[in-house]
Amino acid sequence: MVEGQRWPSFHEAVVLWEHFYTAHNVVSRNTEDLVNFLKRICFASDTSIAYVQAVTSGKPRDETKDAVELEVNRLVLNYLTAVATLVDISRNTMKYYEGSRPANGYAERVAKIRERGLGPLLIRLRAHVVHRARLPWVIRVYLGGQDRLLDVVLDRKEILRHGDIGGSARRYLEAFEEDVPFVHLVTEYGKELADLDDWLWAQLKILYPVPRPSDWPACLFESAAAKACPDSE
């Protein structure tokens, strides 16, 4: 612990960690919604078939095509925003424990995530959309009788030709020879977040060992994947 610095009290920590808990749940819901939708449109269905027909017919506007593209954009943007928010909240949460073993361990784990490059890439994608007003993902259409009809992929050329994607994020993307399916990015980063979040929740037991106040939300000591705290009566 840094000299002269005070950790948040039990009751202060309840508010602090509930913000992190909420941010994690938002990412989880956005991840689930995005992955489910991408999987639903990838394979033969009324929606995916109608989308392919609209593309191959050359129609400038089509109700199904427009609806699919709007939903993809909405879900991807929601996901990227939620990820950026979770990163900010988790980093700010651990600042309150600067100098502690959990804070040092957090810094080491985050450094490894940054080095792998996927996390930084997702953060830069959101910045790319905000600052360049461009959506660096496309819906790929498969023809020729393949079972897979559609796929949402990251447009590597669009990203790599801009200098705002560098460092480990650029190295991660350059490791692929083709455009990267967005489902791959989401599921791989989900694994990284799950490992980090499970470790973070375990630090609560170190920072605030028993006995704890009777009104301390029990769910804060469960896995981040557990059910949300019940509403107080």
Side-chain angles (χ1 to χ4, degrees), residues 200-219:
L200 267 174
W201 286 112
Q203 304 316 296
L204 273 173
K205 297 180 180 179
I206 297 174
L207 293 166
Y208 299 96
V210 293
R212 297 185 294 271
S214 59
D215 60 347
W216 181 280
C219 68

Side-chain angles (χ1 to χ4, degrees), residues 121-148:
L121 173 61
L122 294 174
I123 298 300
R124 294 311 305 164
L125 288 180
R126 180 175 180 272
H128 186 88
V129 173
V130 172
H131 298 299
R132 296 189 179 276
R134 296 180 65 88
L135 304 179
W137 50 85
V138 295
I139 300 179
R140 175 185 291 160
V141 176
Y142 295 94
L143 301 175
Q146 299 185 55
D147 292 335
R148 195 178 187 87

